[in-house]
Amino acid sequence: MGRGYVRFWDPDAERFDIPTWPWKLAPSHLKTRDQLVEMGLRPHQPPAGQVMWNNKKLGVRRAYLFDVALAGPPKARSAAQVASLEAARRRRRICPTCGREQAYYLSTALKECTTCADGLEAAA
Ligand SMILES: [Zn+2]
């Protein structure tokens, strides 16, 4: 065991503000956000603890831990959110020069459809 073992061993949160374990020594029902995502879950509650470790280059790092029993599937988007996302995507396909909706997203460099951009290039 390295020095981090003692330094970050605090399951009763006596020294840290939330229960803390050294890297890889947390109870198995507590998962990091990335681990939950790998399981198709998302945290729906505040963190139940954290793991801490010392990175030689970056210093002390932490990752919050979430109780897997309190996690669930990603929250479904509301109809209004879906509509607003679709409208935003649609706006990125409408050419401001010819006003046509294209099947592709307009290039942010050209700022118009390729037909209009080609026309301008030919006229130049
Ligand atoms: Zn156009």
Side-chain angles (χ1 to χ4, degrees):
M1 297 290 180
R3 285 174 55 214
Y5 176 80
V6 174
R7 189 172 168 199
F8 301 133
W9 182 263
D10 187 22
D12 298 320
E14 287 167 354
R15 289 176 293 127
F16 296 99
D17 49 356
I18 52 176
T20 301
W21 291 270
W23 182 245
K24 291 191 173 178
L25 292 174
S28 60
H29 70 283
L30 297 179
K31 306 285 183 199
T32 64
R33 191 175 201 288
D34 285 351
Q35 287 170 331
L36 289 179
V37 168
E38 273 173 30
M39 298 161 74
L41 301 170
R42 300 288 185 281
H44 289 177
Q45 296 291 325
Q50 63 185 355
V51 283
M52 292 179 84
W53 67 98
N54 193 41
N55 180 289
K56 283 194 182 88
K57 281 182 192 154
L58 301 170
V60 173
R61 312 288 293 162
R62 80 167 71 192
Y64 287 120
L65 295 170
F66 303 90
D67 191 332
V68 70
L70 300 176
K75 282 184 184 142
R77 289 194 171 115
S78 72
Q81 281 175 307
V82 171
S84 136
L85 284 169
E86 259 165 31
R89 283 193 205 108
R90 191 153 178 270
R91 279 196 295 278
R92 290 174 51 206
R93 289 196 303 260
I94 295 173
C95 171
T97 308
C98 66
R100 266 185 292 233
E101 182 178 351
Q102 303 296 337
Y104 53 87
Y105 292 120
L106 302 182
S107 148
T108 51
L110 296 175
K111 294 188 175 65
E112 55 188 359
C113 72
T114 52
T115 309
C116 290
D118 285 350
L120 284 177
E121 270 179 17

